[in-house]
Amino acid sequence: MSRSTSERNAAPETTSVLVIGAGPVGLTLALELDRHGVDTLVVERNATTTRHPKMDITNGRSMELYRRLDIADELRKVAIPADHPMKVTWATNAAGWELASFEYPSVADAYEQIHRRNDGTLPLEPAMRVSQVILEPALRDALAARSEYVRVDYEWALDSFTEDADGVTAELVSGASGQRRTIRAEYLVGCDGAASRTRRQLGIGLDEIDLRRLFIKELGVVRTVMSVARAFLATGQRPADGRFYLVHFTTGDTEIHRRFGTVWHLQSPEGWTVISQNDGDTWTMHAPLGIGEDADKIDPREFVYQRLGHRFEMDVLVANAWTPRLTVADSFGRGRVWLAGDAVHQVPPTGGYGMNTGVGDAVGLGWVLAALLDGWGMPGLLRAYEQERRAVALRNRAAAGRHSLVRGAVMAASRATMHSERWFGARVRRRLGREISDLGNLENEALGIELGYRYDTSPVVCHESGAQAPPQRMDEYTPSTWPGARPPSVRLADGDAIFDLFGRGFTLVRFDHHDVAGLLDAAAERGVPIEIVDVRDPHARALYQRDLVLIRPDQHVVWRGDAAPEHPLHVIDRIRGAQPAT
């Protein structure tokens, strides 16, 4: 539709940051920008928040970041109640036999464990179970209730943009009315999902790992493929072709809870998972599609009945096919246009790394944009954002792929007789249960992935020479203040959480008195916000490993020492993206 003369001649609206996409990542970025007082417009092409369940857990690190934004308690009000434990159960089907279970504490019990242990090995906040269907409105409402600087407009999509040295001019179009509007922003951020129009206009490609080829390579090539095919054919099903079918539904049926207790995930060696979204009446099933199976001809109810093993009344909310992907963008942006969330990385749901990685992107990019707009940040911060977050995305992609391979290994086991009530059926079930228990459930236990990521090679971190960096493991988190790391979470002797003492700018945690006037003067000269927090707590000092630890706005260590730096101005210029320290 062509623009009217009045539309073409109207002066563009202006904002400091234009965010494309009001999913969890876009809304989290808006909350971060609001925290720093940045004028922001968020636009979303859909009429309202998502109807698709997508993610179902917000991990401990994301909850720490939401606590930092002062909304963690608000979000928990709409999540699964704090006294509900988490249980992952493998079974033949919903009316069949249990094969193996993995049980985890409730939020309330996890808080007690965190307080009792207090050794830096656990997050400050436990994970939170909540569907994206519920989380998105909660983030939107929290933003509306507190924001002085952010506006969210629905039913507006990005059509195109042009960039110049001073900013970006974006053309938006309304899907409802066809109206157009022009926005002039200093920065544009695409949080517009896997099919990101922003990324495509930038011409940024995707590095993708083919999950099916990964299965074939890692699980035994021909032998595994043939065993899976035989097992499917024995049950009258077609071998999977890499696609999945999602059915999001409500039901008053209690068979799953009656048979297995209150489960979070019920999983089958046949490849399907059914997720309890509220420990009550709302569920989501993901199940593999067979080769050549036409998703458009599937009856969602029959699809669920066949896999769960019994019939019941249900209301289908959403049903569609989807394909899991393991992708990371070749670049996270350039100049005045940047990307975050699914626009730059997509992973299968195993491990819950999709949205949670995006939350880290949003906070990491938000403080950087605020620093640039405030005048003390330099362009090196944006280069660092890409380097830091792309490395995390690659690491998390590898972890998600690993977790998917574990599920593939379970699918590759012989399942033809696991439903039998005869003696050999029981033998197959015992063997499957042992194999599942041996493979474990790292996808819900990988604290090393959630807490242990470090910006080891970041150009805005003061690196140490001559020392050995702590190990980085997927299955284990080692507390450390190694430059680039998230520092350990610990409660001080007076009960305060040390994370709660970190400010909006840089925080210098000082465990012993050292004269740091030179560092403060250098920060003042460059306009870098920095405050000192004096802590006299031997236990915290031992965990923090140095007398002085400098934390940046997103709660990562940028410098540490047992004395003030010899060249404080070089340190300040390094951490604000201006030049390397010497």
Side-chain angles (χ1 to χ4, degrees):
M1 181 181 293
S2 62
R3 301 180 63 179
S4 67
T5 302
S6 59
E7 285 179 313
R8 288 194 300 268
N9 294 336
E13 301 172 56
T14 61
T15 186
S16 296
V17 178
L18 173 62
V19 178
I20 309 299
V25 175
L27 292 171
T28 301
L29 174 59
L31 284 159
E32 177 68 18
L33 291 167
D34 184 69
R35 185 173 191 256
H36 294 282
V38 175
D39 177 49
T40 303
L41 173 63
V42 184
V43 295
E44 167 59 47
R45 63 183 178 86
N46 293 309
T48 186
T49 54
T50 186
R51 294 174 56 243
H52 285 72
K54 300 181 183 179
M55 49 75 62
D56 66 300
I57 190 162
T58 308
N59 69 27
R61 180 53 180 158
S62 292
M63 291 308 297
E64 288 179 345
L65 295 173
Y66 283 136
R67 177 175 177 136
R68 172 182 165 278
L69 292 169
D70 198 29
I71 62 168
D73 290 343
E74 289 180 47
L75 297 181
R76 290 196 187 277
K77 291 176 183 177
V78 301
I80 298 297
D83 60 348
H84 287 213
M86 295 202 307
K87 183 181 179 183
V88 175
T89 294
W90 287 83
T92 56
N93 58 32
W97 290 270
E98 180 175 317
L99 301 171
S101 274
F102 303 88
E103 298 192 28
Y104 303 98
S106 66
V107 168
D109 290 340
Y111 271 127
E112 289 187 14
Q113 183 183 41
I114 289 166
H115 291 175
R116 184 173 61 251
R117 188 181 295 183
N118 201 35
D119 61 357
T121 61
L122 296 174
L124 173 60
E125 291 279 344
M128 174 181 71
R129 283 179 54 203
V130 65
S131 168
Q132 187 169 331
V133 172
I134 296 171
L135 179 64
E136 266 189 35
L139 289 169
R140 177 202 61 196
D141 293 348
L143 190 59
R146 71 185 56 212
S147 175
E148 299 179 33
Y149 304 98
V150 178
R151 187 172 83 253
V152 182
D153 287 353
Y154 286 88
E155 291 191 281
W156 286 97
L158 176 69
D159 183 55
S160 63
F161 62 83
T162 56
E163 180 189 0
D164 55 54
D166 299 318
V168 181
T169 301
E171 298 294 332
L172 307 182
V173 61
S174 169
S177 66
Q179 286 183 298
R180 304 180 72 88
R181 60 199 277 205
T182 302
I183 309 293
R184 178 65 179 174
E186 295 186 64
Y187 291 94
L188 184 150
V189 182
C191 300
D192 44 350
S196 171
R197 189 175 185 89
T198 314
R199 185 192 69 237
R200 285 185 283 122
Q201 183 168 337
L202 286 172
I204 294 173
L206 295 172
D207 176 67
E208 182 162 12
I209 295 174
D210 189 309
L211 194 54
R212 288 170 295 178
R213 291 184 179 179
L214 187 65
F215 281 150
I216 292 172
K217 176 183 177 182
E218 298 294 334
L219 294 181
V221 198
V222 176
R223 192 169 112 187
T224 294
V225 173
M226 293 303 295
S227 68
V228 171
R230 284 195 300 270
F232 270 104
L233 292 171
T235 61
Q237 299 180 50
R238 302 169 181 170
D241 69 357
R243 296 174 301 147
F244 279 74
Y245 195 72
L246 172 153
V247 183
H248 185 47
F249 62 93
T250 59
T251 179
D253 183 75
T254 60
E255 176 64 19
I256 294 177
H257 289 322
R258 183 192 66 77
R259 193 166 189 86
F260 301 112
T262 302
V263 294
W264 169 35
H265 286 185
L266 182 69
Q267 300 169 173
S268 167
E270 291 172 345
W272 56 258
T273 298
V274 62
I275 301 163
S276 174
Q277 298 288 359
N278 63 355
D279 284 356
D281 66 348
T282 305
W283 302 83
T284 305
M285 170 175 276
H286 297 272
L289 287 174
I291 293 174
E293 192 168 3
D294 188 346
D296 292 334
K297 296 181 179 179
I298 290 175
D299 180 333
R301 290 173 177 80
E302 289 297 324
F303 190 83
V304 173
Y305 298 154
Q306 290 170 11
R307 283 147 187 83
L308 292 188
H310 75 291
R311 294 177 175 274
F312 51 89
E313 292 295 323
M314 74 163 75
D315 291 321
V316 175
L317 305 177
V318 176
N320 59 266
W322 63 279
T323 302
R325 302 183 68 190
L326 288 166
T327 67
V328 175
D330 297 331
S331 170
F332 278 32
R334 61 174 179 264
R336 296 274 178 167
V337 183
W338 293 84
L339 304 161
D342 284 357
V344 280
H345 46 71
Q346 301 106 48
V347 293
T350 48
Y353 302 139
M355 188 211 77
N356 287 295
T357 306
V359 169
D361 297 344
V363 172
L365 181 57
W367 80 266
V368 164
L369 292 176
L372 289 160
L373 291 164
D374 203 33
W376 59 265
M378 301 299 284
L381 289 177
L382 286 169
R383 293 193 294 272
Y385 163 74
E386 174 175 77
Q387 188 169 333
E388 293 172 357
R389 296 308 302 171
R390 191 170 188 275
V392 170
L394 290 168
R395 186 171 186 249
N396 291 0
R397 180 179 70 173
R402 179 264 176 209
H403 302 328
S404 295
L405 286 174
V406 168
R407 292 194 179 218
V410 174
M411 287 180 66
S414 174
R415 304 182 304 280
T417 56
M418 73 175 181
H419 296 285
S420 174
E421 295 187 14
R422 300 183 63 184
W423 65 270
F424 49 80
R427 184 179 66 180
V428 168
R429 289 191 292 273
R430 284 194 299 271
R431 178 175 61 79
L432 273 173
R434 286 194 301 269
E435 290 180 359
I436 291 167
S437 296
D438 288 345
L439 286 167
N441 192 44
L442 185 59
E443 70 176 80
N444 299 123
E445 301 170 4
L447 278 182
I449 292 293
E450 294 179 18
L451 305 179
Y453 60 91
R454 292 198 309 261
Y455 303 141
D456 275 343
T457 60
S458 172
V460 297
V461 168
C462 299
H463 304 290
E464 297 180 356
S465 59
Q468 183 67 40
Q472 282 186 292
R473 294 172 53 96
M474 187 182 304
D475 60 343
E476 184 178 315
Y477 165 63
T478 302
S480 172
T481 56
W482 185 263
R486 161 200 171 274
S489 169
V490 61
R491 286 196 175 270
L492 306 177
D494 62 5
D496 287 341
I498 197 167
F499 277 22
D500 291 344
L501 304 180
F502 301 161
R504 284 184 175 84
F506 288 84
T507 303
L508 181 64
V509 184
R510 184 166 62 176
F511 291 98
D512 199 358
H513 183 75
H514 292 276
D515 183 0
V516 293
L519 186 65
L520 298 181
D521 289 344
E525 182 177 338
R526 297 295 197 244
V528 175
I530 186 170
E531 60 181 276
I532 297 175
V533 171
D534 281 310
V535 175
R536 300 295 182 265
D537 186 306
H539 176 56
R541 166 61 180 82
L543 286 173
Y544 272 60
Q545 303 172 322
R546 300 290 189 276
D547 285 347
L548 300 169
V549 180
L550 186 58
I551 313 293
R552 73 185 193 187
D554 62 345
Q555 297 179 341
H556 280 264
V557 177
V558 290
W559 173 87
R560 64 179 184 171
D562 286 325
E566 292 184 19
H567 304 287
L569 197 58
H570 290 168
V571 170
I572 294 299
D573 280 343
R574 173 84 168 200
I575 65 177
R576 72 187 188 99
Q579 65 179 47
T582 56

